Amino acid sequence: MTELIGIAQSKSETHSHRLLNLAATAWFVVTTIGQWAFGAYIVAFYGASTASGNLKRWNEVLPHGYVQGDWAGNMVVGMHVLLAAILVLGGPLQLIPFIRKNAPTFHRWLGRIYVATALVVAIGGFVMVWTRGAVGDRVQHISISIQTVYIVIFAILAWYHARARRFDIHRKWATRLFLVVSGVWFFRVGLMCWLVINGGPVGFDPKTFSGPFLTALAVFTYALPVSLALLELYFYAQKSRKRFIVMAAALLMCFVTLLMVIGIFGAVAGMWLPRMR
Ligand code: HEM
């Protein structure tokens, strides 16, 4: 896993670098489990309701999901939620070094599909927010719209550098793309972690789905993603010889992973599993 997200480790690997790799591996394993749980929910809920023609069922979750007579809008929503499964199920596979090395053709094709899907889903989501409306307030809508811009730019850069065979740069942009595409997942996991820790809604009104906590969560997952800052710290720490930096990055990743475990548990138990039944 030393090349988990693309940067080869130096030969003189120190204890702190080993800890960093361990933290990155733990983060990646937890992320993969959590994203696949989200993917299983998407397939079981949206896949099953769409396949059986029961599109009204979308509205059990989405306040602006199925609207009778608006076939174009319904198609945008349907494509958004169904194609999202490709992103959350396929994304983690792209980061696994074993697959990149041993199944390069699979990696290339999944990469093309992933980039195209990310563009369609993100732009579709943008259209949904500004035509049909979405839960939450204006700051949340603007924040997630800024994320669409990141997704479009990072998708183009990841694809461009892969085409030019600059694989080190490609891996960095592809990982950044994975993190911004995962923004909606981070938002859900962050929200559920907060609810579990506080034992209920604190810092926001669940009826209007707005308040200071949700404003901060939207800004720091979508508009100014903390995940990207952590990734840059990880890239920096991988090359750093300063023990303090490497240890700080490793411990921070462990802490974030712990919060994610709590959030994923909350999301699976409180949100996804009940809707899959
Ligand atoms: C690219 C990664 C994305 C994925 C994987 C994704 C996935 C999903 C999923 C699964 C849902 C259904 C909600 C649920 O059942 O919990 C959903 C809803 C929605 N998404 Fe996305 N989405 C992505 C990006 C975006 C973006 C960038 C926007 C907006 C700019 C957006 C806007 C929406 C809206 C408006 C809804 C309907 C929920 C509501 O009314 O608030 N999505 N998305």
Side-chain angles (χ1 to χ4, degrees):
M1 274 291 174
T2 48
E3 287 177 70
L4 176 67
I5 37 193
I7 308 294
Q9 200 61 48
S10 74
K11 278 193 186 121
S12 57
E13 195 182 63
T14 61
H15 283 305
S16 45
H17 279 106
R18 271 203 288 277
L19 187 70
L20 182 67
N21 287 325
L22 206 66
T25 305
W27 175 86
F28 179 68
V29 169
V30 166
T31 300
T32 302
I33 292 170
Q35 295 222 346
W36 286 354
F38 189 32
Y41 152 69
I42 293 171
V43 172
F45 182 76
Y46 293 105
S49 52
T50 308
S52 64
N54 186 7
L55 306 188
K56 283 195 185 121
R57 222 186 137 207
W58 297 350
N59 296 356
E60 288 172 20
V61 179
L62 304 177
H64 313 88
Y66 175 75
V67 177
Q68 193 134 21
D70 180 13
W71 66 269
N74 293 336
M75 209 157 83
V76 173
V77 175
M79 295 232 313
H80 183 83
V81 291
L82 293 173
L83 291 178
I86 295 178
L87 299 175
V88 291
L89 295 174
L93 293 178
Q94 291 299 86
L95 298 189
I96 297 174
F98 181 83
I99 294 182
R100 284 206 303 267
K101 271 191 203 118
N102 296 294
T105 310
F106 174 78
H107 175 78
R108 272 200 296 277
W109 273 104
L110 184 56
R112 288 177 189 124
I113 293 169
Y114 186 88
V115 163
T117 307
L119 292 173
V120 172
V121 171
I123 293 168
F126 184 90
V127 170
M128 283 156 64
V129 170
W130 298 106
T131 58
R132 285 202 163 180
V135 294
D137 58 20
R138 198 39 70 94
V139 177
Q140 291 174 44
H141 299 166
I142 293 172
S143 296
I144 198 166
S145 301
I146 292 172
Q147 188 156 74
T148 303
V149 178
Y150 288 129
I151 291 172
V152 170
I153 295 172
F154 295 0
I156 292 169
L157 286 171
W159 172 80
Y160 174 75
H161 288 294
R163 289 282 296 169
R165 306 186 70 79
R166 287 188 285 269
F167 295 119
D168 268 1
I169 306 176
H170 158 69
R171 281 189 211 115
K172 282 194 167 182
W173 283 112
T175 311
R176 291 176 186 128
L177 173 63
F178 173 75
L179 289 184
V180 287
V181 165
S182 302
V184 295
W185 180 81
F186 287 132
F187 186 89
R188 285 163 174 78
V189 169
L191 172 61
M192 295 315 283
C193 175
W194 180 257
L195 291 178
V196 170
I197 288 173
N198 289 294
V202 171
F204 73 97
D205 178 352
K207 284 201 193 90
T208 59
F209 204 66
S210 61
F213 169 71
L214 289 177
T215 302
L217 187 63
V219 168
F220 291 114
T221 44
Y222 298 141
L224 300 168
V226 169
S227 61
L228 285 185
L230 286 176
L231 179 68
E232 297 311 319
L233 175 67
Y234 174 70
F235 284 152
Y236 181 76
Q238 274 191 315
K239 286 189 283 179
S240 174
R241 292 186 182 282
K242 290 187 189 121
R243 196 165 172 268
F244 166 74
I245 301 270
V246 183
M247 288 298 285
L251 291 177
L252 200 57
M253 278 185 104
C254 289
F255 178 64
V256 169
T257 305
L258 180 68
L259 293 180
M260 279 171 35
V261 169
I262 298 171
I264 291 166
F265 166 77
V268 170
M271 218 162 41
W272 300 329
L273 212 51
R275 295 177 192 162
M276 285 163 75
R277 292 196 182 117

PDB file of all heavy atoms in Angstrom, residues 129-158:
ATOM      1  N   VAL A 129     -30.117  21.586  -8.586  1.00  0.00           N
ATOM      2  CA  VAL A 129     -30.146  22.601  -7.520  1.00  0.00           C
ATOM      3  C   VAL A 129     -30.809  23.885  -8.016  1.00  0.00           C
ATOM      4  O   VAL A 129     -31.655  24.469  -7.340  1.00  0.00           O
ATOM      5  CB  VAL A 129     -28.709  22.918  -7.026  1.00  0.00           C
ATOM      6  CG1 VAL A 129     -28.704  24.134  -6.110  1.00  0.00           C
ATOM      7  CG2 VAL A 129     -28.131  21.724  -6.286  1.00  0.00           C
ATOM      8  N   TRP A 130     -30.442  24.304  -9.242  1.00  0.00           N
ATOM      9  CA  TRP A 130     -30.891  25.636  -9.690  1.00  0.00           C
ATOM     10  C   TRP A 130     -32.173  25.614 -10.510  1.00  0.00           C
ATOM     11  O   TRP A 130     -32.668  26.668 -10.900  1.00  0.00           O
ATOM     12  CB  TRP A 130     -29.747  26.344 -10.434  1.00  0.00           C
ATOM     13  CG  TRP A 130     -28.587  26.550  -9.500  1.00  0.00           C
ATOM     14  CD1 TRP A 130     -27.413  25.864  -9.512  1.00  0.00           C
ATOM     15  CD2 TRP A 130     -28.511  27.442  -8.371  1.00  0.00           C
ATOM     16  NE1 TRP A 130     -26.607  26.273  -8.468  1.00  0.00           N
ATOM     17  CE2 TRP A 130     -27.247  27.244  -7.765  1.00  0.00           C
ATOM     18  CE3 TRP A 130     -29.374  28.393  -7.810  1.00  0.00           C
ATOM     19  CZ2 TRP A 130     -26.834  27.951  -6.624  1.00  0.00           C
ATOM     20  CZ3 TRP A 130     -28.958  29.091  -6.680  1.00  0.00           C
ATOM     21  CH2 TRP A 130     -27.706  28.873  -6.108  1.00  0.00           C
ATOM     22  N   THR A 131     -32.723  24.424 -10.809  1.00  0.00           N
ATOM     23  CA  THR A 131     -34.015  24.392 -11.492  1.00  0.00           C
ATOM     24  C   THR A 131     -35.110  23.860 -10.566  1.00  0.00           C
ATOM     25  O   THR A 131     -36.139  24.484 -10.381  1.00  0.00           O
ATOM     26  CB  THR A 131     -33.981  23.537 -12.783  1.00  0.00           C
ATOM     27  OG1 THR A 131     -33.585  22.205 -12.445  1.00  0.00           O
ATOM     28  CG2 THR A 131     -33.046  24.122 -13.819  1.00  0.00           C
ATOM     29  N   ARG A 132     -34.833  22.715  -9.924  1.00  0.00           N
ATOM     30  CA  ARG A 132     -35.868  22.118  -9.063  1.00  0.00           C
ATOM     31  C   ARG A 132     -35.755  22.530  -7.611  1.00  0.00           C
ATOM     32  O   ARG A 132     -36.682  22.352  -6.850  1.00  0.00           O
ATOM     33  CB  ARG A 132     -35.745  20.598  -9.124  1.00  0.00           C
ATOM     34  CG  ARG A 132     -36.264  20.043 -10.416  1.00  0.00           C
ATOM     35  CD  ARG A 132     -36.603  18.605 -10.210  1.00  0.00           C
ATOM     36  NE  ARG A 132     -37.459  18.153 -11.266  1.00  0.00           N
ATOM     37  CZ  ARG A 132     -37.923  16.925 -11.357  1.00  0.00           C
ATOM     38  NH1 ARG A 132     -37.613  16.048 -10.442  1.00  0.00           N
ATOM     39  NH2 ARG A 132     -38.706  16.580 -12.345  1.00  0.00           N
ATOM     40  N   GLY A 133     -34.574  22.982  -7.237  1.00  0.00           N
ATOM     41  CA  GLY A 133     -34.347  23.292  -5.821  1.00  0.00           C
ATOM     42  C   GLY A 133     -33.812  22.066  -5.109  1.00  0.00           C
ATOM     43  O   GLY A 133     -33.841  20.953  -5.646  1.00  0.00           O
ATOM     44  N   ALA A 134     -33.303  22.288  -3.914  1.00  0.00           N
ATOM     45  CA  ALA A 134     -32.734  21.194  -3.131  1.00  0.00           C
ATOM     46  C   ALA A 134     -32.940  21.507  -1.664  1.00  0.00           C
ATOM     47  O   ALA A 134     -33.262  22.648  -1.304  1.00  0.00           O
ATOM     48  CB  ALA A 134     -31.246  21.057  -3.435  1.00  0.00           C
ATOM     49  N   VAL A 135     -32.745  20.506  -0.825  1.00  0.00           N
ATOM     50  CA  VAL A 135     -32.863  20.775   0.607  1.00  0.00           C
ATOM     51  C   VAL A 135     -31.742  21.729   1.025  1.00  0.00           C
ATOM     52  O   VAL A 135     -30.721  21.838   0.360  1.00  0.00           O
ATOM     53  CB  VAL A 135     -32.784  19.470   1.457  1.00  0.00           C
ATOM     54  CG1 VAL A 135     -33.964  18.581   1.193  1.00  0.00           C
ATOM     55  CG2 VAL A 135     -31.474  18.740   1.219  1.00  0.00           C
ATOM     56  N   GLY A 136     -31.956  22.432   2.141  1.00  0.00           N
ATOM     57  CA  GLY A 136     -30.912  23.318   2.650  1.00  0.00           C
ATOM     58  C   GLY A 136     -31.068  24.754   2.178  1.00  0.00           C
ATOM     59  O   GLY A 136     -32.022  25.092   1.472  1.00  0.00           O
ATOM     60  N   ASP A 137     -30.107  25.593   2.600  1.00  0.00           N
ATOM     61  CA  ASP A 137     -30.212  27.031   2.294  1.00  0.00           C
ATOM     62  C   ASP A 137     -29.263  27.441   1.165  1.00  0.00           C
ATOM     63  O   ASP A 137     -28.580  26.613   0.573  1.00  0.00           O
ATOM     64  CB  ASP A 137     -29.953  27.860   3.560  1.00  0.00           C
ATOM     65  CG  ASP A 137     -28.578  27.566   4.147  1.00  0.00           C
ATOM     66  OD1 ASP A 137     -27.708  27.054   3.404  1.00  0.00           O
ATOM     67  OD2 ASP A 137     -28.370  27.830   5.344  1.00  0.00           O
ATOM     68  N   ARG A 138     -29.250  28.767   0.918  1.00  0.00           N
ATOM     69  CA  ARG A 138     -28.500  29.295  -0.220  1.00  0.00           C
ATOM     70  C   ARG A 138     -26.985  29.010  -0.114  1.00  0.00           C
ATOM     71  O   ARG A 138     -26.344  28.680  -1.110  1.00  0.00           O
ATOM     72  CB  ARG A 138     -28.778  30.808  -0.298  1.00  0.00           C
ATOM     73  CG  ARG A 138     -28.482  31.529  -1.601  1.00  0.00           C
ATOM     74  CD  ARG A 138     -28.827  30.791  -2.850  1.00  0.00           C
ATOM     75  NE  ARG A 138     -30.233  30.629  -3.124  1.00  0.00           N
ATOM     76  CZ  ARG A 138     -30.974  31.433  -3.881  1.00  0.00           C
ATOM     77  NH1 ARG A 138     -30.460  32.468  -4.438  1.00  0.00           N
ATOM     78  NH2 ARG A 138     -32.256  31.181  -4.095  1.00  0.00           N
ATOM     79  N   VAL A 139     -26.451  29.115   1.105  1.00  0.00           N
ATOM     80  CA  VAL A 139     -25.002  28.862   1.258  1.00  0.00           C
ATOM     81  C   VAL A 139     -24.682  27.414   0.864  1.00  0.00           C
ATOM     82  O   VAL A 139     -23.686  27.138   0.180  1.00  0.00           O
ATOM     83  CB  VAL A 139     -24.538  29.134   2.715  1.00  0.00           C
ATOM     84  CG1 VAL A 139     -23.059  28.811   2.881  1.00  0.00           C
ATOM     85  CG2 VAL A 139     -24.796  30.571   3.102  1.00  0.00           C
ATOM     86  N   GLN A 140     -25.551  26.487   1.268  1.00  0.00           N
ATOM     87  CA  GLN A 140     -25.329  25.080   0.901  1.00  0.00           C
ATOM     88  C   GLN A 140     -25.417  24.901  -0.617  1.00  0.00           C
ATOM     89  O   GLN A 140     -24.635  24.164  -1.211  1.00  0.00           O
ATOM     90  CB  GLN A 140     -26.365  24.178   1.583  1.00  0.00           C
ATOM     91  CG  GLN A 140     -26.180  24.075   3.093  1.00  0.00           C
ATOM     92  CD  GLN A 140     -27.324  23.298   3.740  1.00  0.00           C
ATOM     93  OE1 GLN A 140     -27.749  22.265   3.252  1.00  0.00           O
ATOM     94  NE2 GLN A 140     -27.832  23.804   4.852  1.00  0.00           N
ATOM     95  N   HIS A 141     -26.382  25.597  -1.241  1.00  0.00           N
ATOM     96  CA  HIS A 141     -26.546  25.460  -2.696  1.00  0.00           C
ATOM     97  C   HIS A 141     -25.340  26.025  -3.441  1.00  0.00           C
ATOM     98  O   HIS A 141     -24.855  25.439  -4.416  1.00  0.00           O
ATOM     99  CB  HIS A 141     -27.835  26.158  -3.160  1.00  0.00           C
ATOM    100  CG  HIS A 141     -29.066  25.575  -2.537  1.00  0.00           C
ATOM    101  ND1 HIS A 141     -30.293  26.201  -2.568  1.00  0.00           N
ATOM    102  CD2 HIS A 141     -29.249  24.412  -1.844  1.00  0.00           C
ATOM    103  CE1 HIS A 141     -31.177  25.448  -1.926  1.00  0.00           C
ATOM    104  NE2 HIS A 141     -30.568  24.364  -1.486  1.00  0.00           N
ATOM    105  N   ILE A 142     -24.860  27.177  -2.966  1.00  0.00           N
ATOM    106  CA  ILE A 142     -23.691  27.783  -3.625  1.00  0.00           C
ATOM    107  C   ILE A 142     -22.452  26.911  -3.397  1.00  0.00           C
ATOM    108  O   ILE A 142     -21.672  26.666  -4.321  1.00  0.00           O
ATOM    109  CB  ILE A 142     -23.469  29.234  -3.113  1.00  0.00           C
ATOM    110  CG1 ILE A 142     -24.634  30.118  -3.582  1.00  0.00           C
ATOM    111  CG2 ILE A 142     -22.137  29.796  -3.605  1.00  0.00           C
ATOM    112  CD1 ILE A 142     -24.647  31.514  -2.999  1.00  0.00           C
ATOM    113  N   SER A 143     -22.317  26.393  -2.167  1.00  0.00           N
ATOM    114  CA  SER A 143     -21.142  25.564  -1.859  1.00  0.00           C
ATOM    115  C   SER A 143     -21.084  24.324  -2.749  1.00  0.00           C
ATOM    116  O   SER A 143     -20.037  24.019  -3.334  1.00  0.00           O
ATOM    117  CB  SER A 143     -21.166  25.128  -0.390  1.00  0.00           C
ATOM    118  OG  SER A 143     -21.051  26.238   0.446  1.00  0.00           O
ATOM    119  N   ILE A 144     -22.201  23.609  -2.870  1.00  0.00           N
ATOM    120  CA  ILE A 144     -22.170  22.377  -3.682  1.00  0.00           C
ATOM    121  C   ILE A 144     -21.991  22.723  -5.170  1.00  0.00           C
ATOM    122  O   ILE A 144     -21.390  21.963  -5.926  1.00  0.00           O
ATOM    123  CB  ILE A 144     -23.401  21.466  -3.424  1.00  0.00           C
ATOM    124  CG1 ILE A 144     -23.103  20.053  -3.936  1.00  0.00           C
ATOM    125  CG2 ILE A 144     -24.672  22.023  -4.018  1.00  0.00           C
ATOM    126  CD1 ILE A 144     -24.046  18.984  -3.462  1.00  0.00           C
ATOM    127  N   SER A 145     -22.453  23.917  -5.562  1.00  0.00           N
ATOM    128  CA  SER A 145     -22.257  24.336  -6.957  1.00  0.00           C
ATOM    129  C   SER A 145     -20.778  24.608  -7.224  1.00  0.00           C
ATOM    130  O   SER A 145     -20.281  24.333  -8.323  1.00  0.00           O
ATOM    131  CB  SER A 145     -23.076  25.590  -7.263  1.00  0.00           C
ATOM    132  OG  SER A 145     -24.434  25.314  -7.040  1.00  0.00           O
ATOM    133  N   ILE A 146     -20.083  25.152  -6.223  1.00  0.00           N
ATOM    134  CA  ILE A 146     -18.632  25.366  -6.380  1.00  0.00           C
ATOM    135  C   ILE A 146     -17.935  24.009  -6.543  1.00  0.00           C
ATOM    136  O   ILE A 146     -16.985  23.858  -7.298  1.00  0.00           O
ATOM    137  CB  ILE A 146     -18.069  26.161  -5.171  1.00  0.00           C
ATOM    138  CG1 ILE A 146     -18.622  27.585  -5.196  1.00  0.00           C
ATOM    139  CG2 ILE A 146     -16.538  26.164  -5.160  1.00  0.00           C
ATOM    140  CD1 ILE A 146     -18.301  28.426  -3.974  1.00  0.00           C
ATOM    141  N   GLN A 147     -18.496  22.994  -5.859  1.00  0.00           N
ATOM    142  CA  GLN A 147     -17.891  21.677  -6.011  1.00  0.00           C
ATOM    143  C   GLN A 147     -18.019  21.147  -7.438  1.00  0.00           C
ATOM    144  O   GLN A 147     -17.137  20.441  -7.933  1.00  0.00           O
ATOM    145  CB  GLN A 147     -18.503  20.689  -5.037  1.00  0.00           C
ATOM    146  CG  GLN A 147     -17.733  19.391  -5.086  1.00  0.00           C
ATOM    147  CD  GLN A 147     -17.876  18.614  -3.817  1.00  0.00           C
ATOM    148  OE1 GLN A 147     -18.919  18.053  -3.585  1.00  0.00           O
ATOM    149  NE2 GLN A 147     -16.849  18.564  -3.021  1.00  0.00           N
ATOM    150  N   THR A 148     -19.121  21.501  -8.106  1.00  0.00           N
ATOM    151  CA  THR A 148     -19.260  21.105  -9.511  1.00  0.00           C
ATOM    152  C   THR A 148     -18.079  21.646 -10.315  1.00  0.00           C
ATOM    153  O   THR A 148     -17.526  20.955 -11.178  1.00  0.00           O
ATOM    154  CB  THR A 148     -20.569  21.678 -10.114  1.00  0.00           C
ATOM    155  OG1 THR A 148     -21.653  21.235  -9.327  1.00  0.00           O
ATOM    156  CG2 THR A 148     -20.770  21.238 -11.546  1.00  0.00           C
ATOM    157  N   VAL A 149     -17.691  22.895 -10.018  1.00  0.00           N
ATOM    158  CA  VAL A 149     -16.576  23.513 -10.753  1.00  0.00           C
ATOM    159  C   VAL A 149     -15.282  22.730 -10.500  1.00  0.00           C
ATOM    160  O   VAL A 149     -14.534  22.412 -11.428  1.00  0.00           O
ATOM    161  CB  VAL A 149     -16.409  25.001 -10.331  1.00  0.00           C
ATOM    162  CG1 VAL A 149     -15.229  25.632 -11.044  1.00  0.00           C
ATOM    163  CG2 VAL A 149     -17.693  25.770 -10.604  1.00  0.00           C
ATOM    164  N   TYR A 150     -15.026  22.364  -9.232  1.00  0.00           N
ATOM    165  CA  TYR A 150     -13.829  21.556  -8.928  1.00  0.00           C
ATOM    166  C   TYR A 150     -13.866  20.238  -9.711  1.00  0.00           C
ATOM    167  O   TYR A 150     -12.872  19.814 -10.278  1.00  0.00           O
ATOM    168  CB  TYR A 150     -13.767  21.182  -7.436  1.00  0.00           C
ATOM    169  CG  TYR A 150     -13.427  22.300  -6.488  1.00  0.00           C
ATOM    170  CD1 TYR A 150     -14.224  22.556  -5.374  1.00  0.00           C
ATOM    171  CD2 TYR A 150     -12.295  23.076  -6.663  1.00  0.00           C
ATOM    172  CE1 TYR A 150     -13.916  23.560  -4.476  1.00  0.00           C
ATOM    173  CE2 TYR A 150     -11.981  24.084  -5.770  1.00  0.00           C
ATOM    174  CZ  TYR A 150     -12.794  24.321  -4.675  1.00  0.00           C
ATOM    175  OH  TYR A 150     -12.479  25.304  -3.789  1.00  0.00           O
ATOM    176  N   ILE A 151     -15.037  19.595  -9.689  1.00  0.00           N
ATOM    177  CA  ILE A 151     -15.141  18.276 -10.330  1.00  0.00           C
ATOM    178  C   ILE A 151     -14.819  18.398 -11.826  1.00  0.00           C
ATOM    179  O   ILE A 151     -14.045  17.617 -12.372  1.00  0.00           O
ATOM    180  CB  ILE A 151     -16.537  17.649 -10.097  1.00  0.00           C
ATOM    181  CG1 ILE A 151     -16.696  17.278  -8.620  1.00  0.00           C
ATOM    182  CG2 ILE A 151     -16.741  16.412 -10.973  1.00  0.00           C
ATOM    183  CD1 ILE A 151     -18.092  16.823  -8.212  1.00  0.00           C
ATOM    184  N   VAL A 152     -15.397  19.419 -12.473  1.00  0.00           N
ATOM    185  CA  VAL A 152     -15.177  19.577 -13.919  1.00  0.00           C
ATOM    186  C   VAL A 152     -13.683  19.822 -14.194  1.00  0.00           C
ATOM    187  O   VAL A 152     -13.075  19.159 -15.054  1.00  0.00           O
ATOM    188  CB  VAL A 152     -16.047  20.731 -14.480  1.00  0.00           C
ATOM    189  CG1 VAL A 152     -15.658  21.067 -15.910  1.00  0.00           C
ATOM    190  CG2 VAL A 152     -17.530  20.358 -14.397  1.00  0.00           C
ATOM    191  N   ILE A 153     -13.073  20.730 -13.429  1.00  0.00           N
ATOM    192  CA  ILE A 153     -11.658  21.069 -13.681  1.00  0.00           C
ATOM    193  C   ILE A 153     -10.747  19.869 -13.389  1.00  0.00           C
ATOM    194  O   ILE A 153      -9.892  19.506 -14.198  1.00  0.00           O
ATOM    195  CB  ILE A 153     -11.230  22.290 -12.831  1.00  0.00           C
ATOM    196  CG1 ILE A 153     -12.005  23.529 -13.281  1.00  0.00           C
ATOM    197  CG2 ILE A 153      -9.725  22.542 -12.948  1.00  0.00           C
ATOM    198  CD1 ILE A 153     -11.800  24.744 -12.400  1.00  0.00           C
ATOM    199  N   PHE A 154     -10.962  19.210 -12.246  1.00  0.00           N
ATOM    200  CA  PHE A 154     -10.092  18.090 -11.874  1.00  0.00           C
ATOM    201  C   PHE A 154     -10.275  16.899 -12.826  1.00  0.00           C
ATOM    202  O   PHE A 154      -9.314  16.183 -13.122  1.00  0.00           O
ATOM    203  CB  PHE A 154     -10.355  17.639 -10.428  1.00  0.00           C
ATOM    204  CG  PHE A 154     -10.013  18.673  -9.374  1.00  0.00           C
ATOM    205  CD1 PHE A 154      -9.514  19.923  -9.711  1.00  0.00           C
ATOM    206  CD2 PHE A 154     -10.201  18.397  -8.025  1.00  0.00           C
ATOM    207  CE1 PHE A 154      -9.204  20.881  -8.737  1.00  0.00           C
ATOM    208  CE2 PHE A 154      -9.892  19.335  -7.041  1.00  0.00           C
ATOM    209  CZ  PHE A 154      -9.400  20.573  -7.405  1.00  0.00           C
ATOM    210  N   ALA A 155     -11.512  16.693 -13.292  1.00  0.00           N
ATOM    211  CA  ALA A 155     -11.765  15.583 -14.230  1.00  0.00           C
ATOM    212  C   ALA A 155     -10.982  15.824 -15.522  1.00  0.00           C
ATOM    213  O   ALA A 155     -10.326  14.913 -16.048  1.00  0.00           O
ATOM    214  CB  ALA A 155     -13.259  15.462 -14.524  1.00  0.00           C
ATOM    215  N   ILE A 156     -11.032  17.062 -16.008  1.00  0.00           N
ATOM    216  CA  ILE A 156     -10.319  17.377 -17.251  1.00  0.00           C
ATOM    217  C   ILE A 156      -8.806  17.213 -17.042  1.00  0.00           C
ATOM    218  O   ILE A 156      -8.109  16.610 -17.861  1.00  0.00           O
ATOM    219  CB  ILE A 156     -10.665  18.817 -17.724  1.00  0.00           C
ATOM    220  CG1 ILE A 156     -12.135  18.867 -18.164  1.00  0.00           C
ATOM    221  CG2 ILE A 156      -9.746  19.264 -18.855  1.00  0.00           C
ATOM    222  CD1 ILE A 156     -12.682  20.259 -18.406  1.00  0.00           C
ATOM    223  N   LEU A 157      -8.291  17.694 -15.914  1.00  0.00           N
ATOM    224  CA  LEU A 157      -6.846  17.608 -15.669  1.00  0.00           C
ATOM    225  C   LEU A 157      -6.383  16.156 -15.488  1.00  0.00           C
ATOM    226  O   LEU A 157      -5.319  15.772 -15.992  1.00  0.00           O
ATOM    227  CB  LEU A 157      -6.473  18.439 -14.428  1.00  0.00           C
ATOM    228  CG  LEU A 157      -6.484  19.955 -14.653  1.00  0.00           C
ATOM    229  CD1 LEU A 157      -6.332  20.702 -13.334  1.00  0.00           C
ATOM    230  CD2 LEU A 157      -5.398  20.376 -15.624  1.00  0.00           C
ATOM    231  N   ALA A 158      -7.192  15.350 -14.762  1.00  0.00           N
ATOM    232  CA  ALA A 158      -6.823  13.933 -14.569  1.00  0.00           C
ATOM    233  C   ALA A 158      -6.761  13.225 -15.920  1.00  0.00           C
ATOM    234  O   ALA A 158      -5.815  12.476 -16.216  1.00  0.00           O
ATOM    235  CB  ALA A 158      -7.823  13.256 -13.643  1.00  0.00           C
TER     236      ALA A 158
END
